[in-house]
Amino acid sequence: MRFPARFRIASSVFVPALLLFTACAHVPKRSPLPMEHIDNAEVLGIPRVRMWGDEPPRWDHDWSQKSRAEIEERYSGVYGRPHTYLAVSGGGENGAFAAGLLLGWTARGDRPEFTVVTGISAGALVAPFAFLGPEYDDVLKLVSSELEPDDVYKKRGLIRALRTDGMATTEPLQALIAKYVDEEVMEKIAAAHREGRALNIGTANLDSMRPVIWRIGTIANSGHPNALELIRKILLASASIPAAFSPVLIPVEADGKKYDELHVDGGAASQVFLYPPGVDFDEILEKLAVPGRPKVYIIRNSRLDPMYEQVQNKLIPIAGRSLQSLVRTQGIGDLFRIYLETCRDGLDFNLAYIPAEFTAESNEEFDPQYMKDLFEMAYERGKAGYEWEKMPPELQEAPVHCR
């Protein structure tokens, strides 16, 4: 069995990068943000544009200072209505699974409008178009299941790569994002934000070693002339596998001075997320007068079952297999965390993942036939009415009971 694309690309850099780590020379100059400013740095001067993914936001909605009428007006699209949340994980070429499932759901005719959509890595490319609804299904299919390597990255020569910031540049992916995330898409995201819906994308801040959640609707609605450029940078950063692809420098400002932060694939911090831990969700649901239990749909673009393979006792196979194991177990841990959060907050948990019976193998990076087979399998299941799991499969033998 060959590894999925993200593992093949990333594992190929482990040893050479370690051996020649000090040789890095041809990289963009940095002005790193000082540690004392990590909690107050601003991006484009837009307030509340992002939050840490591992703690509650350092602001609240000032519910107590707003009247019911003010809250109803600000959140007109979600106030007093059932809520449905979608979280899409990373997975590289396995993003075809999310695309197929969502398009099959559209064909079935009962796909909801999502109140909140979150995405990381491959899920970051799915999330904006899932958020905007079925009218963008064609784009969603293209950016998630019809990609080829030349659409994503351009390899550098080995010597040059080891003296820069990644084994490949992401110029093709930048062009792809720029083509489909345009002014019209940004304005539609902004319009949804004004109604109270939310699109959140996760990156990993390497300087702080922490997950970051970017509020894309807030950026889109800011009116800042560089808002679209920032949104594109965030999507690119979320999909930039560390060491394999060049990271993304995001300019910030603190204490009147300009600095930068280094952001990479959100999967370096979390494979999938819903909202930061510690959020008082009962208060949110009460203030927004949400009827019933909100539904949470998690799409994990990966298999969850352990996949046995006789690994060669050679450096690159060992490194690749170890990375694959790390990402798999991290993803399962993320699902446990989200499940416990939904239990605590009284939300209806629903999980989809690539089933064990799907045995097609990827024979190259972004293998077109593999992605086509995965898309079609997920599409047919979505169209037939996907049987969502009510808890992570590892818990089914000894289930955790929710309120």
Side-chain angles (χ1 to χ4, degrees), residues 86-103 111 114 117-134 136-137 139-145 147 173 176-177 181 185 189 199-201 235 238-239 299 301 375:
L86 173 68
V88 188
S89 84
E93 62 194 347
N94 284 336
F97 176 72
L101 182 55
L102 288 165
L103 267 67
R111 175 176 151 188
F114 298 111
V117 177
T118 74
I120 274 183
S121 194
L125 302 182
V126 172
F129 307 110
F131 181 73
L132 294 178
Y136 281 90
D137 275 2
V139 179
L140 172 55
K141 181 181 179 183
L142 189 150
V143 301
S144 302
S145 64
L147 297 178
L173 182 57
L176 185 78
I177 292 172
V181 181
V185 164
I189 292 172
L199 170 63
N200 297 328
I201 298 298
L235 296 175
S238 187
I299 301 179
N301 290 308
F375 174 90

Side-chain angles (χ1 to χ4, degrees), residues 46-67:
I46 306 171
R48 301 179 179 181
V49 71
R50 59 186 181 168
M51 50 193 163
W52 295 115
D54 54 8
E55 68 177 29
R58 295 176 180 267
W59 68 80
D60 57 38
H61 291 278
D62 298 324
W63 300 111
S64 60
Q65 300 177 20
K66 294 182 182 292
S67 68

Side-chain angles (χ1 to χ4, degrees), residues 11-297:
S11 64
S12 68
V13 305
F14 268 22
V15 174
L18 289 173
L19 292 176
L20 296 177
F21 182 77
T22 57
C24 294
H26 303 295
V27 296
K29 290 185 178 180
R30 291 202 60 194
S31 179
L33 179 71
M35 185 176 68
E36 60 267 26
H37 293 307
I38 61 173
D39 288 322
N40 58 20
E42 293 187 345
V43 184
L44 300 185
I46 306 171
R48 301 179 179 181
V49 71
R50 59 186 181 168
M51 50 193 163
W52 295 115
D54 54 8
E55 68 177 29
R58 295 176 180 267
W59 68 80
D60 57 38
H61 291 278
D62 298 324
W63 300 111
S64 60
Q65 300 177 20
K66 294 182 182 292
S67 68
R68 179 173 178 175
E70 288 174 323
I71 293 174
E72 185 173 0
E73 180 180 3
R74 167 62 186 89
Y75 300 97
S76 60
V78 300
Y79 184 89
R81 301 183 184 185
H83 282 197
T84 305
Y85 312 130
L86 173 68
V88 188
S89 84
E93 62 194 347
N94 284 336
F97 176 72
L101 182 55
L102 288 165
L103 267 67
W105 203 348
T106 297
R108 180 176 170 81
D110 58 354
R111 175 176 151 188
E113 177 183 81
F114 298 111
T115 313
V116 177
V117 177
T118 74
I120 274 183
S121 194
L125 302 182
V126 172
F129 307 110
F131 181 73
L132 294 178
E135 71 172 296
Y136 281 90
D137 275 2
D138 288 346
V139 179
L140 172 55
K141 181 181 179 183
L142 189 150
V143 301
S144 302
S145 64
E146 297 180 354
L147 297 178
E148 296 184 3
D150 289 345
D151 298 319
V152 180
Y153 62 88
K154 183 185 299 183
K155 288 184 178 180
R156 292 177 168 131
L158 180 60
I159 300 302
R160 182 165 183 263
L162 293 172
R163 294 178 60 81
T164 58
D165 55 5
M167 295 297 292
T169 71
T170 51
E171 292 173 359
L173 182 57
Q174 293 176 46
L176 185 78
I177 292 172
K179 179 178 180 179
Y180 292 106
V181 181
D182 56 15
E183 292 280 355
E184 180 181 354
V185 164
M186 184 175 72
E187 177 48 42
K188 289 183 178 181
I189 292 172
H193 168 81
R194 291 192 289 270
E195 294 181 349
R197 296 173 60 219
L199 170 63
N200 297 328
I201 298 298
T203 65
N205 182 323
L206 282 188
D207 297 313
S208 300
M209 292 179 63
R210 298 178 69 183
V212 177
I213 298 174
W214 295 86
R215 306 173 71 217
I216 301 301
T218 299
I219 302 170
N221 194 54
S222 68
H224 196 285
N226 295 327
L228 182 57
E229 179 186 1
L230 176 59
I231 291 172
R232 290 169 173 171
K233 279 190 172 184
I234 292 165
L235 296 175
L236 177 65
S238 187
S240 294
I241 305 168
F245 298 155
S246 296
V248 176
L249 287 175
I250 294 183
V252 298
E253 186 172 326
D255 198 22
K257 297 181 180 179
K258 295 181 179 180
Y259 301 102
D260 60 58
E261 296 174 345
L262 197 63
H263 287 258
V264 298
D265 190 326
S270 176
Q271 292 298 308
V272 63
F273 72 98
L274 188 57
Y275 46 81
V279 171
D280 188 345
F281 223 76
D282 284 337
E283 182 181 28
I284 293 174
L285 299 180
E286 178 186 353
K287 294 298 184 182
L288 293 177
V290 178
R293 296 173 63 202
K295 290 185 176 295
V296 174
Y297 293 97

